[in-house]
Amino acid sequence: MEAEYQVDEQFLFIYIPQEVDHHVADKIRRETDVLLSERSIRKIVFDFHDTRFMDSSGIGMILGRVKKMRKCGGSVEAVGVSNQVARIFDMAGLPSVMTMRQKEECV
Amino acid sequence: MEAEYQVDEQFLFIYIPQEVDHHVADKIRRETDVLLSERSIRKIVFDFHDTRFMDSSGIGMILGRVKKMRKCGGSVEAVGVSNQVARIFDMAGLPSVMTMRQKEECV
Amino acid sequence: MSDVENYMKVEFEGISENERLARMLVSAFVVTFNPTLEELEDVKTATSEAVTNCIIHGYEQLGGPIEMTMEKKGQELFLQVADYGIGICDVEKAMEPLFTTKPQLDRSGMGFTFMEAFMDEVKVHSVKGKGTVVHMKKIFGSTCKRV
Amino acid sequence: MSDVENYMKVEFEGISENERLARMLVSAFVVTFNPTLEELEDVKTATSEAVTNCIIHGYEQLGGPIEMTMEKKGQELFLQVADYGIGICDVEKAMEPLFTTKPQLDRSGMGFTFMEAFMDEVKVHSVKGKGTVVHMKKIFGSTCKRV
Ligand SMILES: Nc1ncnc2c1ncn2[C@@H]1O[C@H](COP(=O)(O)OP(=O)(O)O)[C@@H](O)[C@H]1O
Ligand SMILES: Nc1ncnc2c1ncn2[C@@H]1O[C@H](COP(=O)(O)OP(=O)(O)O)[C@@H](O)[C@H]1O
C-alpha cells in the first residue's frame, strides 16, 4: 500500500500502489515534492503496473506534478496503465498533457 | 457459494462451500434432508476441502445429520478439514461423535 | 469518546443474507489493527454468531434492524451487536454451552461459547420484549493466548 | 420502504484512512447485485469521490461524522453520502468539470464529473453551514451504456 521511489540520474521512477485515493495520493504528493526539492529531476515516470483503482485525487496529484515539472522544463510519463485506470486518465484529458503507455492486457 | 451433492451407491458426498454460516448451513440442511428422504443413504461424507470459514450454525447442521443417520444405523464423516475449521470442530466436541480427517497443510 | 481513534456504526436488515455482509464489514474495519489471520477469524466468527442470534432468536426470522458498532482504541476493538427483538429472560442460562431454545432448527447452543472463546470479553444486556445488546472486546497483538 | 429488499446505513469518522473503508463497505453491499467488474468499479469510484469530498471540503480535514446509506430495490442501488460540514453555496457551479475551491491541495475538480459519469443519477442537496448530501442511483445490468 506504499509507493516506492527510485532516482536514476535525472529520472524519478514512482511505483504507484494498488489503490490511489485521496489518502494515498496525498502521501505520494508530499513524498515526491521532497525528492523534487532535493534532487535535480528532469523526468518523472509514474509506474502504474500494480494499480487497479484510481479516483480524481490521483488525477489531481499527477496534474500537479505535470505543472511543476513543466516550470523547470521537465516532463512526466505514465507507464503500465491498466484499462481501468486508463478510462479515468482519458476522462480527465491527461493523455493531452503527458505521455501515457498502457499495460498489455489479455481481453 | 453453493454446496454440491453426489450420491454414489449408499454414500452421499456433500462438497461444502467456502463459508458456512447460518444462511448457508440452513440451505445445506434442507437440501440434504430432501436427498436423505429420497435415496437410501448409509453414510454422509462432508467434504470441507474448500471451506475456510464455519461458525456454530455449521456445527448444528452437522450434529443434526449425525443424529438422523444414527437413527437408521448410518454414519457421518468429515474430510479435508482445515486447521481453521478443525478448531471449531474440536471446541464443539465433534470428533467424539464422528470421524474427522484433516487436510494436509503446510505450516 | 476522546480516546476513540476510529469508529463505525452500521444498521442493516436482519436477514440471513446479511450474515456474510456483517463479516465483511467487521473485516474491513479490523484490517486497521493489522491483525493476524487468527485474530481476524476470531472476530469474524464472533460477529457471525452475534448477528445470527439477532436474526434467528431476536427477530425469529421475521426480520428487523440490526445495529453494529465498532470502536478502535489503541489495540482494543469494542464491538457491539444489537437487536430490538424478543430479548432473553435468563441471560446466564442462555450463555451456558449447548443451551438452545431452538433445537428444532438444529441450533447447537454453541454461539455464546464461541463468542467467549474468540473474544477477550463478552457481556450481554437484554430486556424481555425490548431487545438484546452483546458487547465484545478484543485485544489485538496480546501475548496471552487462550488455552 | 416496502419495496426496499435490503439496506445498510453506516456512520464513520471523516478521516482519509476511511476512504478505503467506504469502498470496502459499498463493495460488500453491492456484491448482492451480482455486478460486472466495471459496475463494481463505477460504484467504488463514485463512493470514493463523495466520501473524499466530505473529508476535504465538508470538514476541511478536521474530521466529523460521515453517513452512507445504501438501498437495494430490484436492480437499483440508491446510495447516499452525507456530511454535516460547511455546505456548498452554488451547487451548479461546484458540479462543473474542473471547478475546485481547493487548487492549493492539487484537487482536479473532477469529483462530481466522475460521479455523474459512473452513476445513472447524481443529485446534490446542500445547505451552507449545515452540510451536504449526495444522492446517487445506479442501475445494474442495464443494457444502455454511457458513450
Ligand atoms: N439476540 C437474541 N435474542 C433473543 N434470544 C437470544 C439472542 N441471542 C441468544 N439468545 C438465546 O440464547 C440461546 C443460546 O444462544 P447461543 O449460545 O448462540 O446458541 P444457539 O444460537 O445455537 O441457540 C438461544 O437459543 C436463545 O434462546
Ligand atoms: N461535501 C462537500 N462539502 C462542501 N463543499 C463541497 C463538497 N463536495 C464538493 N464541494 C465543493 O465542490 C467543488 C467541486 O467538487 P469536485 O468536483 O469533487 O472537485 P474537487 O474535490 O477536486 O474540488 C469542491 O472544490 C468544493 O468547493
Side-chain angles (χ1 to χ4, degrees):
Chain A
M1 287 301 293
E2 300 274 304
E4 283 174 26
Y5 304 86
Q6 194 187 317
V7 178
D8 188 356
E9 311 246 316
Q10 300 190 316
F11 285 78
L12 168 60
F13 294 89
I14 307 181
Y15 300 93
I16 305 293
Q18 291 197 340
E19 307 208 331
V20 189
D21 56 14
H22 156 244
H23 182 71
V24 173
D26 230 38
K27 195 150 179 282
I28 298 176
R29 183 166 74 101
R30 279 180 273 119
E31 290 168 345
T32 303
D33 286 358
V34 168
L35 282 168
L36 291 182
S37 68
E38 287 172 350
R39 316 284 290 255
S40 72
I41 306 290
R42 300 301 307 265
K43 182 163 198 165
I44 298 176
V45 180
F46 288 105
D47 189 323
F48 280 97
H49 274 98
D50 288 344
T51 310
R52 30 176 198 69
F53 178 85
M54 192 171 86
D55 66 15
S56 78
S57 301
I59 299 290
M61 180 272 290
I62 296 170
L63 279 176
R65 290 335 100 214
V66 170
K67 274 186 217 153
K68 209 160 187 162
M69 292 307 285
R70 279 190 174 170
K71 270 191 202 145
C72 59
S75 67
V76 172
E77 197 176 312
V79 301
V81 178
S82 69
N83 292 333
Q84 195 51 53
V85 174
R87 94 183 162 136
I88 299 279
F89 268 69
D90 289 340
M91 288 178 68
L94 281 203
S96 66
V97 298
M98 63 186 287
T99 312
M100 175 182 109
R101 276 192 255 150
Q102 275 200 245
K103 181 153 73 175
E104 286 184 25
E105 284 180 295
C106 339
V107 193
Chain B
M1 288 300 293
E2 299 274 303
E4 282 175 26
Y5 303 85
Q6 193 186 317
V7 178
D8 188 356
E9 310 243 316
Q10 300 191 317
F11 285 79
L12 169 59
F13 294 90
I14 308 181
Y15 300 92
I16 305 293
Q18 291 197 339
E19 307 207 331
V20 189
D21 55 14
H22 156 245
H23 183 71
V24 173
D26 230 38
K27 196 152 180 280
I28 297 177
R29 183 166 75 102
R30 279 179 276 119
E31 290 169 344
T32 302
D33 286 358
V34 168
L35 282 168
L36 291 182
S37 69
E38 285 173 351
R39 317 284 291 253
S40 73
I41 306 291
R42 300 301 306 265
K43 183 163 197 166
I44 299 176
V45 180
F46 287 104
D47 189 324
F48 280 97
H49 275 98
D50 288 344
T51 309
R52 32 178 196 68
F53 177 85
M54 191 169 88
D55 66 16
S56 79
S57 301
I59 298 291
M61 181 271 290
I62 295 170
L63 278 177
R65 289 335 101 214
V66 169
K67 274 186 216 153
K68 207 160 187 164
M69 292 306 285
R70 279 190 175 172
K71 269 191 203 148
C72 59
S75 67
V76 172
E77 196 175 313
V79 300
V81 178
S82 69
N83 292 334
Q84 194 52 53
V85 174
R87 96 183 160 137
I88 298 280
F89 268 68
D90 290 340
M91 287 178 69
L94 281 203
S96 66
V97 298
M98 65 187 287
T99 313
M100 175 183 109
R101 276 192 255 150
Q102 277 200 241
K103 181 155 71 176
E104 285 182 28
E105 283 178 295
C106 341
V107 191
Chain C
M1 296 263 292
S2 62
D3 49 348
V4 175
E5 288 160 50
N6 201 0
Y7 75 94
M8 181 165 115
K9 288 185 200 166
V10 205
E11 183 194 312
F12 54 85
E13 181 61 20
I15 51 177
S16 65
E17 286 82 357
N18 286 344
E19 291 157 8
R20 186 158 161 265
L21 182 73
R23 292 196 299 278
M24 291 171 84
L25 299 180
V26 88
S27 301
F29 189 78
V30 154
V31 284
T32 59
F33 287 87
N34 215 351
T36 64
L37 263 185
E38 186 169 329
E39 286 168 339
L40 185 61
E41 281 306 313
D42 289 351
V43 176
K44 279 169 68 178
T45 308
T47 303
S48 207
E49 299 297 349
V51 168
T52 300
N53 278 352
C54 301
I55 295 170
I56 300 184
H57 302 299
Y59 294 123
E60 301 197 287
Q61 307 195 68
L62 298 171
I66 297 179
E67 286 174 14
M68 276 173 62
T69 308
M70 289 154 242
E71 291 176 342
K72 181 183 192 319
K73 294 187 191 171
Q75 280 309 99
E76 296 181 349
L77 167 73
F78 294 84
L79 171 63
Q80 278 169 46
V81 180
D83 66 59
Y84 299 94
I86 61 165
I88 306 175
C89 301
D90 184 344
V91 168
E92 211 176 311
K93 179 121 209 115
M95 294 183 78
E96 283 173 14
L98 305 178
F99 177 84
T100 181
T101 50
K102 295 250 188 291
Q104 75 280 15
L105 293 179
D106 273 340
R107 304 302 303 163
S108 63
M110 293 297 285
F112 279 126
T113 310
F114 281 4
M115 288 182 241
E116 292 192 300
F118 295 141
M119 302 294 273
D120 290 295
E121 241 179 74
V122 178
K123 282 185 193 143
V124 181
H125 290 113
S126 190
V127 179
K128 185 113 183 84
K130 296 263 177 192
T132 303
V133 192
V134 180
H135 303 260
M136 295 183 267
K137 176 175 158 181
K138 176 84 178 175
I139 306 165
F140 288 82
S142 89
T143 41
C144 42
K145 298 253 88 182
R146 66 175 166 278
V147 206
Chain D
M1 298 265 290
S2 64
D3 48 350
V4 175
E5 288 159 50
N6 201 1
Y7 75 95
M8 183 166 115
K9 288 185 200 166
V10 204
E11 182 194 312
F12 54 84
E13 180 62 21
I15 50 176
S16 64
E17 287 82 356
N18 286 343
E19 292 157 8
R20 186 159 162 264
L21 182 73
R23 292 196 298 279
M24 291 173 84
L25 299 179
V26 88
S27 301
F29 189 78
V30 153
V31 283
T32 60
F33 287 87
N34 216 350
T36 64
L37 263 185
E38 188 170 330
E39 286 168 340
L40 185 62
E41 282 305 314
D42 289 351
V43 176
K44 278 169 68 178
T45 309
T47 302
S48 207
E49 299 296 349
V51 167
T52 300
N53 279 352
C54 302
I55 294 169
I56 300 183
H57 302 298
Y59 294 123
E60 301 196 287
Q61 308 196 66
L62 298 172
I66 296 180
E67 286 174 15
M68 276 174 61
T69 308
M70 290 154 240
E71 291 177 341
K72 181 183 192 315
K73 293 187 192 171
Q75 282 309 98
E76 295 180 350
L77 168 74
F78 294 84
L79 172 63
Q80 279 168 46
V81 179
D83 66 59
Y84 299 94
I86 61 165
I88 305 176
C89 300
D90 184 345
V91 168
E92 212 175 310
K93 180 123 209 110
M95 294 183 79
E96 282 174 14
L98 306 178
F99 177 84
T100 180
T101 51
K102 296 250 188 291
Q104 75 279 16
L105 293 179
D106 273 341
R107 304 301 302 161
S108 63
M110 293 296 286
F112 279 127
T113 310
F114 281 6
M115 289 182 239
E116 292 192 301
F118 295 141
M119 302 295 272
D120 291 295
E121 242 178 75
V122 179
K123 282 185 192 143
V124 181
H125 290 113
S126 189
V127 179
K128 186 115 184 81
K130 296 265 179 189
T132 303
V133 192
V134 179
H135 302 261
M136 295 183 267
K137 177 175 158 181
K138 177 83 178 173
I139 307 165
F140 287 83
S142 87
T143 41
C144 41
K145 297 253 89 180
R146 67 176 166 276
V147 206

